[in-house]
Amino acid sequence: MLGRLGFETAALDAKLLTGHALGLDALALATREQEPVADADAERVAGLLQRRMSGESVARIIGEREFFGLAFALNAATLEPRPDTELLIELAIKALPVGGRLLDLGTGTGCIPIAVLANRSDAIGLASDISAEALEMAQINAARHGVADRLRFAPGSWFEACSRNGRGEDKFDLIVSNPPYITSAVLETLAPEVKDFDPRLALDGGPDGLAPYRIIAANARDYLSPGGQVLVEIGYDQGSSIRALFAEHGFADIVVHKDLNGLDRVISGQHLKGS
Ligand SMILES: C[S@@+](CC[C@H](N)C(=O)[O-])C[C@H]1O[C@@H](n2cnc3c(N)ncnc32)[C@H](O)[C@@H]1O
């Protein structure tokens, strides 16, 4: 049925959802394939398949998605972490100095700081999001992956979370973000899986997709230690505009990093000592 509706991963989706509904892993599902299924179980499977046919992703139905080798629980307020963002994690793990302090703006499931801190046991961090519901999920994920004692959470719009006690009181060695960067017009053209199920707040970057970057570029240096860096994920066609924004606000050594598909994916910039 899923296949006939054009779902490219129909067979895999059906297996994952059936396994989830019946509480069986892939091996158990394969070995018990010929066993009869109780009516109530069959109804549960049919219910999940129906949701998939309406466009909801397998990860949302199951309630979690794997990212950088870790499983992240999702709720309605969190974006599903995407493989695209794994490049940002690799760069952040390398960029953080020993004992470094990380700030993540717009944390969603918390996938960025949790994946970084899980791989850097010397580092600590602060994660913020404007959505309190997303932050709740991020805190659950931090506990699940054993980094809750090194990661603080604070609600607020962009830098508000770290400026409540006075501008620049908190300084960080690395500021990271995967902000919403889709233009409001393009949003309407996206696949139902994204448009109808990922939260708008996590996608909409305003009329030109750059609104969050303007705020981040204009304020990040106030919260960076001298020599600190900023690393932000970007859309494939935003490299030159966002490079210009960071240059305008005094960042040095600005580099556009390409992903495995050769597309612009992350921008880094440095707050030089003494500047
Ligand atoms: C593209 S999602 C990224 C989520 C997560 N960091 C990831 O990579 O999967 C952007 C996030 O920014 C948050 N956000 C949107 N507007 C915000 C604002 N004004 N201040 C702080 N966070 C905001 C959204 O709630 C969402 O969690």
Side-chain angles (χ1 to χ4, degrees):
M1 183 72 97
L2 284 169
R4 267 187 275 141
L5 288 174
F7 286 85
E8 284 173 17
T9 52
L12 178 63
D13 292 0
K15 271 189 196 154
L16 288 168
L17 292 175
T18 305
H20 182 70
L22 302 180
L24 300 174
D25 63 20
L27 181 65
L29 198 61
T31 52
R32 297 174 61 180
E33 211 171 38
Q34 302 305 325
E35 287 181 21
V37 176
D39 287 351
D41 287 342
E43 258 174 51
R44 243 191 346 266
V45 173
L48 299 193
L49 291 174
Q50 191 55 52
R51 283 170 66 183
R52 180 70 191 111
M53 285 191 283
S54 309
E56 194 171 353
S57 71
V58 171
R60 252 188 215 290
I61 298 170
I62 288 176
E64 66 174 37
R65 172 134 182 190
E66 194 178 306
F67 174 81
F68 216 75
L70 303 169
F72 287 89
L74 307 167
N75 66 17
T78 57
L79 184 87
E80 269 184 48
R82 305 291 208 274
D84 296 337
T85 307
E86 294 188 340
L87 173 62
L88 180 63
I89 307 301
E90 285 163 17
L91 293 167
I93 290 171
K94 285 190 207 136
L96 254 184
V98 174
R101 304 186 64 191
L102 173 75
L103 168 64
D104 178 35
L105 300 169
T107 203
T109 54
C111 62
I112 296 175
I114 293 169
V116 174
L117 295 192
N119 286 279
R120 284 290 308 269
S121 57
D122 57 304
I124 58 170
L126 171 65
S128 92
D129 204 290
I130 199 166
S131 160
E133 207 186 333
L135 275 187
E136 274 171 31
M137 193 43 84
Q139 275 171 286
I140 290 170
N141 284 321
R144 182 176 186 179
H145 296 303
V147 302
D149 56 338
R150 291 183 289 125
L151 186 57
R152 285 192 295 132
F153 294 90
S157 183
W158 305 126
F159 292 93
E160 254 174 40
C162 43
S163 61
R164 270 171 307 166
N165 299 321
R167 186 162 231 238
E169 189 214 35
D170 273 336
K171 295 277 186 187
F172 300 89
D173 301 294
L174 182 63
I175 296 178
V176 291
S177 185
N178 173 20
Y181 56 70
I182 298 171
T183 64
S184 312
V186 166
L187 249 181
E188 297 312 317
T189 68
L190 297 179
E193 198 169 299
V194 179
K195 178 168 63 102
D196 299 340
F197 294 98
D198 274 325
R200 284 283 151 131
L201 198 56
L203 301 172
D204 194 344
D208 65 357
L210 300 177
Y213 299 101
R214 289 198 180 89
I215 296 170
I216 294 172
N219 294 283
R221 288 171 76 225
D222 289 339
Y223 298 95
L224 277 174
S225 315
Q229 277 196 55
V230 66
L231 273 174
V232 291
E233 180 168 323
I234 60 169
Y236 72 95
D237 55 355
Q238 294 175 323
S240 54
S241 331
I242 297 174
R243 173 194 280 277
L245 274 177
F246 280 103
E248 184 189 320
H249 289 286
F251 280 86
D253 295 335
I254 300 169
V255 179
V256 179
H257 304 263
K258 289 190 186 297
D259 63 19
L260 291 174
N261 295 317
L263 301 174
D264 290 352
R265 181 59 61 198
V266 171
I267 283 201
S268 59
Q270 204 174 8
H271 170 35
L272 287 184
K273 290 189 176 81
S275 69

